Amino acid sequence: MKLGERPTLRDEIADELRRRILAGELSGGQRLAEVALSEELGVSRISLREAFRVLEAEMLVEWLPRRGVRVIEPDPAELGVVEDVRMELELYALSLAGERLDDDWRARLEQFIEDGNRASEAGDVAELAAANRRFHELLAESCGSPVLQQLLRTIRQRSRQFQPSGDDGRVQESWDDHAEIVSSLLRSDVGGAQRRMRIHLTQHRNESLASFDVS
């Protein structure tokens, strides 16, 4: 993949490396060879280092003295903390979203449900997975707080590092949960949305604990 020189090049590089890390294409503990990566992406080493700094701030990579940069390896001992923090942030975001549910946001959420259900009925797993990712972005946007959006993005990324690879059935289960959460919001049932979110994230936590054999 070649990335063109643009004003947002640093973020473009960071987006691509972040995607690879969260998809497991770059594994925990793996060193990121600066020369090889700059050649593969068609970017300067200076731009690559700037992208590394972005990912370092997100706790996805770390600099090692005289050894370069490597992907941070998730520490199973931190899993419980990550999931507890995520739970509180997600529930708080739902409460804020409920307070800001005007006509514009209702229309956006209704369109989200319609698009996701269409993908579900068609059995389009790729599209449904994209809808699941969009759910989290939409929730963060709807809370109306840039600070909370950034906190949610960071903690979700940390959480995804612990997440076992899911099968097609899990994608459908996630959509069912997400659709129910949004439907509750549309009914102005914030409490119901929060209860479903708690169940959803507890299941995610349990799967992650099991994959790392953490009790």
Side-chain angles (χ1 to χ4, degrees):
M1 174 181 180
K2 298 293 184 181
L3 304 178
E5 293 291 337
R6 298 195 302 210
T8 58
L9 181 58
R10 179 201 66 177
D11 293 331
E12 190 179 0
I13 298 167
D15 286 346
E16 172 61 16
L17 295 179
R18 185 187 302 110
R19 182 196 66 76
R20 296 185 188 187
I21 292 170
L22 297 179
E25 296 173 20
L26 296 172
S27 57
Q30 181 175 340
R31 283 193 59 203
L32 301 181
E34 194 174 288
V35 174
L37 267 177
S38 64
E39 291 178 353
E40 177 193 350
L41 299 175
V43 299
S44 71
R45 292 171 67 180
I46 292 175
S47 296
L48 184 61
R49 288 174 194 153
E50 291 175 351
F52 285 158
R53 292 299 183 192
V54 172
L55 299 178
E56 181 184 32
E58 296 176 3
M59 298 181 290
L60 292 176
V61 304
E62 60 184 344
W63 293 84
L64 301 175
R66 298 179 297 279
R67 296 174 58 192
V69 179
R70 74 174 179 183
V71 179
I72 288 181
E73 192 161 7
D75 180 0
E78 289 291 305
L79 173 56
V81 175
V82 168
E83 295 303 329
D84 286 346
V85 171
R86 180 180 180 184
M87 179 78 76
E88 294 305 315
L89 290 177
E90 297 277 16
L91 296 180
Y92 182 46
L94 278 172
S95 69
L96 293 182
E99 294 172 1
R100 300 180 69 248
L101 195 60
D102 56 17
D103 290 343
D104 177 62
W105 269 106
R106 283 186 177 278
R108 293 177 67 177
L109 293 175
E110 287 168 354
Q111 186 63 54
F112 168 77
I113 290 288
E114 182 179 332
D115 292 344
N117 283 340
R118 186 182 304 114
S120 177
E121 291 168 4
D124 189 334
V125 176
E127 190 63 32
L128 200 57
N132 284 333
R133 290 190 296 271
R134 178 60 182 149
F135 165 80
H136 294 290
E137 296 168 2
L138 196 63
L139 176 58
E141 292 169 15
S142 67
C143 73
S145 167
V147 172
L148 185 52
Q149 286 182 52
Q150 183 57 48
L151 290 172
L152 281 166
R153 180 182 185 185
T154 299
I155 201 66
R156 284 168 178 161
Q157 287 174 174
R158 293 293 285 170
S159 179
R160 282 180 63 186
Q161 287 183 290
F162 291 100
Q163 187 173 14
S165 298
D167 57 19
D168 291 355
R170 189 70 189 95
V171 171
Q172 181 65 58
E173 284 181 30
S174 290
W175 168 252
D176 292 342
D177 286 346
H178 294 162
E180 184 171 340
I181 290 166
V182 172
S183 295
S184 294
L185 274 181
L186 288 170
R187 296 193 301 270
S188 298
D189 181 9
V190 175
Q194 290 177 318
R195 284 191 294 275
R196 192 64 211 174
M197 178 68 84
R198 188 179 294 278
I199 293 170
H200 176 67
L201 292 181
T202 297
Q203 181 175 358
H204 166 80
R205 176 190 179 121
N206 291 341
E207 290 174 352
S208 298
L209 286 169
S211 69
F212 280 89
D213 194 24
V214 176
S215 58

